DNA sequence: TCTGGGGTCCTAGGACCC
DNA sequence: TCTGGGGTCCTAGGACCC
């Protein structure tokens, strides 16, 4: 029995947040701008109707917006974060199993709900009453189809903000009407590659043999194809996994040409990143620094590079992180370019509690060592090449191989020999 | 019969998401 | 002149291990 999954998406979230606190903006075209007012990152329906594009550079559209009477707001992420938390709290009333997917989206498991559509309409009404934010609800057997359903809920006025895509016939009809890039996980480049092999619509992708898809496009696209058929490949993750990496980066107001200036910027980002990390009680041993030129300026020579610096001992120390970032910078720095952006990324974050200044060894390394030892032990006991023979299907050795593979879940390789 | 090959780690880069 | 910032996952190739 398939479990219905709902995708709840806040309509024009940032624009809607601004409206909650400035009701005079109701019914007006609004645009929210990115960090340093660089480009459009959110639009109200009215602004969309006027033809305002997502990502439109502010400097090219300033006069145009004024002429059209579009209201402009700089982004206020603290506000949006608070509003998001309110929306999510409200959603929890409607299902115990909820995955917060982004600041303005959540997946909900609606298993056991008899009247899905009514439930969803009730949810919509409650969120609007409690938070002032309008949402759309798409319901389907898989996340990918729920995304499609949500799109319909949003664009088709007759839906009233709720759309169910639970049966096969409806799904086919819906997939016929949309393009490849309307599918979650397929953007420009993948769509081009799919088209080259003759798949021009989501329906084609759905109906091609998944094995062939996997061969040609990898596991990610295979999953998408299966999900389009209604086969769930992506679970609802109601416990959010710990963060794996974090970034501090900015575009420069004017291009940076001098190493000294870049030094300063990178040091600032390294500090900001370290600060963010400590706030979450994390530590890192892998620091990435990256620099890039302005890819919008086709007339300029382009260069982008990144460098990872491994510290082997995880740290939360800003000084060490900054030093590592600057070391990376000197490795990739090339003069003669107009740099537009730079940043510092911290990878493989671990809880700072496990570090405590002592020698840090990632669990993976311990496990892989144990696995190596296990492999040799098996080879020694059963003869060289046992693992290889196992792959050919000998029954006794097959069990060994299975144990061997599951070594990733245990650090005691001795267990492996208990067959 | 074949008789160090299978496996992991690391890194950079691509592609996608909101 | 002026085009965001912060994430995730996957892949491929080479180094390395025993």
């Amino acid at each position: 029995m398939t479990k219905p999954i709902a995708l709840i998406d806040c309509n024009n979230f940032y624009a809607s947040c601004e409206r909650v606190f400035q009701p005079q903006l109701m019914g007006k075209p609004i645009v929210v701008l990115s960090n340093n007012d660089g480009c459009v990152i959110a639009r109200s329906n009215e602004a969309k109707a006027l033809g305002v594009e997502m990502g439109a550079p502010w400097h090219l559209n300033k006069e145009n917006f004024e002429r059209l009477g579009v209201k402009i707001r700089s982004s206020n992420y603290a506000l949006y974060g608070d509003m998001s938390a309110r929306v999510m709290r409200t959603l929890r009333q409607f299902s115990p199993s909820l995955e917060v997917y982004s600041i303005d989206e959540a997946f909900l498991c609606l298993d056991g709900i008899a009247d899905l559509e009514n439930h969803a309409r009730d949810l919509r009404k409650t969120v609007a009453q409690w938070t002032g934010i309008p949402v759309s609800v798409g319901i389907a057997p898989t996340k990918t189809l729920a995304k499609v359903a949500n799109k319909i809920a949003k664009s088709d006025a007759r839906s009233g903000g709720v759309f169910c895509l639970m049966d096969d016939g409806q799904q086919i009809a819906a997939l016929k009407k949309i393009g490849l890039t309307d599918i979650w996980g397929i953007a420009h480049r993948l769509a081009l590659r799919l088209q080259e092999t003759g798949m021009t619509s989501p329906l084609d992708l759905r109906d091609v043999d998944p094995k062939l898809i996997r061969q040609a496009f990898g596991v990610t696209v295979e999953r998408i194809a299966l999900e389009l058929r209604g086969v769930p490949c992506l679970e609802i993750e109601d416990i959010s996994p710990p963060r794996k990496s974090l970034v501090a980066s900015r575009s420069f107001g004017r291009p940076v040409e001098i190493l000294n200036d870049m030094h300063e910027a990178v040091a600032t980002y390294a500090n900001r990143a370290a600060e963010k990390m400590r706030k979450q009680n994390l530590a890192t041993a892998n620091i990435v620094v990256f620099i890039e030129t302005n890819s919008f300026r086709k007339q300029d020579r382009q260069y982008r590079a990144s460098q990872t610096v491994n510290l082997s001992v995880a740290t939360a120390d800003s000084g060490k992180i900054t030093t590592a970032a600057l070391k990376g910078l000197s490795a990739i720095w090339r003069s003669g370019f107009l740099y537009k952006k730079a940043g510092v990324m911290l990878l493989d974050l671990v809880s700072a509690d496990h570090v405590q200044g002592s020698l840090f060894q990632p669990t993976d390394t311990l496990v892989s060592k144990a696995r190596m030892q296990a492999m040799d032990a098996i080879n020694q006991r059963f003869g060289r090449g046992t693992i290889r023979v196992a792959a050919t299907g000998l029954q006794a050795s097959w069990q060994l191989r299975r144990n061997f593979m599951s070594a990733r879940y245990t650090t005691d390789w001795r267990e492996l020999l208990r067959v």
Side-chain angles (χ1 to χ4, degrees):
Chain A
M1 189 59 201
T2 52
K3 295 179 184 174
I5 293 173
L7 172 65
I8 292 89
D9 191 328
C10 301
N11 300 348
N12 316 320
F13 184 55
Y14 295 172
S16 297
C17 287
E18 295 293 334
R19 269 184 182 156
V20 171
F21 295 92
Q22 295 178 280
Q24 73 275 17
L25 294 176
M26 229 27 124
K28 303 259 165 57
I30 322 174
V31 148
V32 177
L33 298 177
S34 64
N35 241 346
N36 34 24
D37 290 350
C39 67
V40 172
I41 54 168
R43 308 157 293 162
S44 70
N45 284 341
E46 297 79 3
K48 287 178 190 171
L50 288 171
V52 176
E53 298 278 346
M54 188 67 165
W58 166 229
H59 70 273
L60 292 178
N61 288 281
K62 210 166 173 177
E63 276 113 56
N64 191 27
F65 289 173
E66 271 167 29
R67 191 170 50 77
L68 293 169
V70 176
K71 307 283 179 204
I72 308 296
R73 292 291 177 272
S74 294
S75 40
N76 179 351
Y77 294 103
L79 171 71
Y80 309 149
D82 284 351
M83 288 301 289
S84 173
R86 270 193 224 183
V87 171
M88 300 306 168
R89 266 203 304 277
T90 311
L91 292 181
R92 272 183 217 285
Q93 311 273 324
F94 290 85
S95 169
S97 170
L98 170 138
E99 174 185 343
V100 177
Y101 175 66
S102 74
I103 193 163
D104 69 337
E105 279 175 81
F107 288 104
L108 238 66
C109 178
L110 295 185
D111 197 20
I113 305 289
D115 189 342
L116 290 170
E117 205 156 321
N118 256 331
H119 192 73
R121 294 196 191 285
D122 191 21
L123 176 154
R124 235 185 132 247
K125 210 169 111 194
T126 310
V127 174
Q129 274 172 359
W130 293 9
T131 70
I133 300 290
V135 300
S136 302
V137 186
I139 302 172
T142 66
K143 282 182 165 181
T144 306
L145 286 171
K147 278 271 191 182
V148 173
N150 188 284
K151 200 163 274 232
I152 298 171
K154 218 167 244 172
S155 59
D156 189 342
R158 288 168 301 176
S159 72
V162 174
F163 196 81
C164 267
L165 212 46
M166 286 304 288
D167 79 67
D168 211 49
Q170 281 179 312
Q171 290 162 14
I172 291 174
L175 293 181
K176 268 187 191 159
K177 284 189 226 156
I178 57 178
L180 281 172
T181 53
D182 291 322
I183 301 296
W184 189 36
I186 298 181
H188 174 66
R189 279 161 212 276
L190 258 179
L192 281 181
R193 283 178 54 209
L194 287 167
Q195 277 156 4
E196 276 167 17
T197 65
M199 283 178 268
T200 55
S201 81
L203 210 54
D204 295 336
L205 181 58
R206 172 192 199 263
D207 292 336
V208 169
D209 181 359
K211 284 198 200 82
L212 297 179
I213 302 263
R214 183 175 194 138
Q215 270 176 20
F217 299 96
V219 63
T220 316
V221 182
E222 185 199 19
R223 271 184 214 138
I224 295 173
L226 286 168
E227 286 243 323
L228 288 177
R229 295 181 172 203
V231 180
C233 301
L234 308 167
E235 297 296 316
I236 291 192
E237 293 173 25
D238 33 19
I239 301 158
S240 54
R243 173 189 305 285
K244 293 179 178 170
S245 67
L246 65 81
V247 171
S249 75
R250 283 287 181 278
S251 296
F252 303 125
R254 62 185 51 181
V256 168
E257 288 180 80
I258 300 163
L259 179 57
N260 252 350
D261 295 348
M262 189 59 92
H263 248 102
E264 215 168 286
V266 166
T268 309
Y269 301 151
N271 266 305
R272 194 182 300 151
E275 201 172 306
K276 263 197 210 176
M277 189 187 69
R278 274 199 309 274
K279 243 181 212 160
Q280 301 175 54
N281 192 34
L282 297 168
T284 183
N286 281 315
I287 292 99
V288 182
V289 55
F290 64 88
I291 52 178
E292 58 191 61
T293 51
N294 188 347
S295 57
F296 291 104
R297 288 183 60 87
K298 303 282 180 227
Q299 67 271 38
D300 290 352
R301 287 173 64 221
Q302 298 290 320
Y303 175 63
R304 48 195 288 215
S306 73
Q307 173 83 47
T308 308
V309 181
N310 179 273
L311 293 181
S312 78
V313 177
T315 180
D317 184 304
S318 296
K320 285 183 188 153
I321 288 168
T322 305
T323 308
L326 292 177
K327 184 177 155 198
L329 173 63
S330 49
I332 54 175
W333 175 262
R334 304 279 178 276
S335 39
F337 292 99
L338 300 169
Y339 291 102
K340 177 62 185 167
K341 189 176 176 181
V344 171
M345 202 181 304
L346 307 181
L347 296 183
D348 307 319
L349 299 173
V350 292
S351 166
D353 298 336
H354 298 325
V355 183
Q356 295 292 0
S358 65
L359 185 70
F360 167 73
Q361 202 170 22
T363 324
D364 274 3
T365 308
L366 294 173
V367 172
S368 81
K369 271 199 185 133
R371 203 189 288 204
M372 290 292 183
Q373 288 170 14
M375 182 162 70
D376 278 355
I378 290 168
N379 279 338
Q380 226 167 50
R381 180 159 154 190
F382 296 95
R384 178 172 287 271
T386 305
I387 302 292
R388 186 158 33 107
V389 174
T392 68
L394 286 173
Q395 198 57 41
S397 302
W398 180 240
Q399 186 59 42
L400 267 181
R401 184 176 172 82
R402 287 218 337 237
N403 289 354
F404 177 71
M405 294 312 286
S406 68
R408 79 169 64 240
Y409 306 111
T410 170
T411 49
D412 185 2
W413 58 270
R414 285 170 198 85
E415 280 178 23
L416 301 176
L417 293 175
R418 274 193 236 121
V419 184

